[in-house]
Amino acid sequence: MELKEKLVAVHPELDAVRAAAGEGPVYVVGGAVRDLLLGRGRADLDLVVVGNASELAAKLGAEPVEHERFATAKVTIGGHEIDLATARTEAYAEPGALPEVEPAGSIEADLGRRDFTINAMAIPMGEPSKLIDPHGGRADLDAGVLRVLHPASFIDDPTRALRAARYAARFGFELEGETAELLRAADLDTVSEDRREAGLLRLAGEEEAVRGFALAAEWGLIEPAPDGLELTARTAELIADGPWSLAEDRARMLRTMAMQPVGRESELVDARPASPSEAVELARRFDPPALVSARVRGAYWLDEYVREWRDVKLEIDGDDLVAAGVPQGPAVGAGLAEALRRKLDGEIDGREQELEIALAAARAEAGG
Ligand code: CTP
């Protein structure tokens, strides 16, 4: 399929953009071009306008992004998110600092500020069969190579080194020789904690996160926690589905496992609970990420907690005890707790027995 047909097939939302853009200098850029050439679908689209993006943004009913000095905007059309930006160049006053931004007079100038050749290509909206590829990105895509545009790239923005790990993991690409050398000299300490953290979280959000962390470690970008990589791999597998699944927190969880030594949850790893009730009492003091961490470190008893014991509920509640004459207050809680304990340990069964045990325990508490 030709570039133009691919573009139309993957991004039908471009119809609306084309109508609004007319003859204007509007370009599809960055990851959207790369993924199109790789034959990978994606939901979001980056567009650059040489001149000013505000007019196009207004025609599309896009919401301006307020904090940006140059017009940028976001709009969602047919479920596809479109990022609009004004073409710009960037100059870095200091390593790792945020760049000084100037308007770019051409799309080539805008492409020249970017991280890797595979991300520095553009397709003009008015001429969608044409690929603007000043840095040989297409050839690098075909060869499976990550290459920076200039030797100062990682000095300008060391977070690009983490981006390299992300793309290398995702696409199975290699670093080009000089890029590899430059990357080994990258110093993530020059960037703010927030930006470093954001980079790690994006790495952790990759399907191939484990491979990404392994590469980042191999390249000297990060220092994982003891056994961090092995534990991250086990965690990714454990939380993928089933009773341990933790879909929404996956990235945060993997990032923690890779980088953070064991914490308070080591208590769970060392514990040998003598009964289900003892297990529940201990486990419920920890949040789900801590439970996952303990489980991949060997607290296999938590499997039964997560599959069964955690969800064991009484058939009675506090109202039943109050109706039977127990005064409101701590006695109610004590009664229910005792009944749950006995139920967990298989000593009682059914509503009648629950009530009997709970009342006895509550009365003992109220009386004593
Ligand atoms: N970019 C860059 N340097 C950075 C961050 C971004 O050059 N430090 C450029 C790249 O051209 C990139 C584009 O901005 O393609 C958009 O960045 P981003 O949305 O982070 O990446 P995508 O390429 O869209 O990758 P992904 O598929 O992971 O979203």
Side-chain angles (χ1 to χ4, degrees):
M1 218 194 287
E2 246 208 288
L3 200 54
K4 182 177 163 185
E5 276 89 60
K6 276 193 200 161
L7 194 62
V8 173
V10 177
H11 294 291
E13 74 277 20
L14 277 177
D15 272 352
V17 178
R18 202 170 292 112
E23 296 295 301
V26 181
Y27 301 84
V28 180
V29 292
V33 178
R34 176 199 70 218
D35 289 351
L36 199 68
L37 292 171
L38 283 172
R40 289 182 166 228
R42 64 184 274 149
D44 58 325
L45 195 59
D46 288 312
L47 296 178
V48 159
V49 182
V50 178
N52 191 328
S54 313
E55 205 181 314
L56 179 60
K59 279 192 197 160
L60 289 170
E63 285 208 15
V65 180
E66 292 301 342
H67 59 272
E68 300 272 334
R69 201 178 124 221
F70 284 90
T72 62
K74 276 184 189 301
V75 63
T76 304
I77 299 177
H80 294 254
E81 194 172 282
I82 302 180
D83 276 327
L84 284 164
T86 304
R88 61 180 196 259
T89 58
E90 290 172 352
Y92 293 82
E94 274 172 66
L98 290 174
E100 315 252 332
V101 185
E102 298 289 340
S106 67
I107 187 65
E108 285 79 4
D110 182 287
L111 294 176
R113 74 177 162 86
R114 292 173 185 262
D115 53 0
F116 303 105
T117 61
I118 63 165
N119 286 340
M121 294 180 273
I123 301 172
M125 288 291 301
E127 211 179 328
S129 311
K130 182 172 161 191
L131 182 69
I132 301 175
D133 179 18
H135 305 281
R138 180 162 215 169
D140 284 343
L141 262 191
D142 291 342
V145 162
L146 283 173
R147 184 195 308 264
V148 286
L149 305 193
H150 58 84
S153 191
F154 294 121
I155 297 172
D156 288 346
D157 180 359
T159 64
R160 287 178 172 165
L162 288 175
R163 295 173 62 85
R166 198 150 65 78
Y167 295 125
R170 189 193 303 168
F171 302 132
F173 281 14
E174 303 277 335
L175 296 173
E176 169 273 332
E178 197 192 341
T179 301
E181 254 171 60
L182 296 167
L183 188 146
R184 280 180 196 276
D187 183 4
L188 278 171
D189 290 342
T190 65
V191 302
S192 70
E193 183 65 28
D194 282 1
R195 294 186 65 211
R196 197 182 116 94
E197 189 53 33
L200 285 176
L201 266 183
R202 276 189 87 178
L203 185 60
E206 290 287 318
E207 179 72 33
E208 297 291 344
V210 177
R211 179 147 52 140
F213 277 110
L215 287 173
E218 190 187 316
W219 297 343
L221 299 174
I222 58 168
E223 212 170 300
D227 299 324
L229 299 180
E230 171 62 30
L231 292 168
T232 309
R234 275 190 234 158
T235 301
E237 202 175 318
L238 184 72
I239 67 179
D241 54 26
W244 283 101
S245 66
L246 210 61
E248 74 274 29
D249 286 336
R250 180 180 183 271
R252 196 159 292 282
M253 186 74 229
L254 296 186
R255 181 246 171 265
T256 303
M257 292 311 291
M259 305 299 291
Q260 209 156 289
V262 68
R264 221 166 52 82
E265 73 274 20
S266 63
E267 192 187 338
L268 297 170
V269 183
D270 299 333
R272 300 282 175 274
S275 64
S277 64
E278 209 180 296
V280 169
E281 209 159 292
L282 180 58
R284 75 151 60 109
R285 306 204 320 254
F286 292 83
D287 60 14
L291 296 177
V292 168
S293 169
R295 166 60 172 74
V296 296
R297 292 173 202 273
Y300 296 109
W301 60 270
L302 284 170
D303 282 340
E304 272 183 284
Y305 170 71
V306 165
R307 264 198 312 258
E308 275 177 56
W309 302 334
R310 183 172 60 178
D311 301 318
V312 171
K313 299 270 182 299
L314 291 173
E315 292 174 42
I316 58 169
D317 61 20
D319 291 346
D320 295 311
L321 299 192
V322 173
V326 177
Q328 303 251 12
V332 175
L336 292 174
E338 178 59 16
L340 183 62
R341 220 169 3 251
R342 302 281 288 268
K343 180 171 184 171
L344 276 164
D345 293 341
E347 294 167 13
I348 58 170
D349 187 26
R351 193 185 155 78
E352 294 285 293
Q353 289 183 347
E354 285 178 16
L355 199 56
E356 188 186 322
I357 294 296
L359 281 174
R363 283 175 186 143
E365 171 85 16

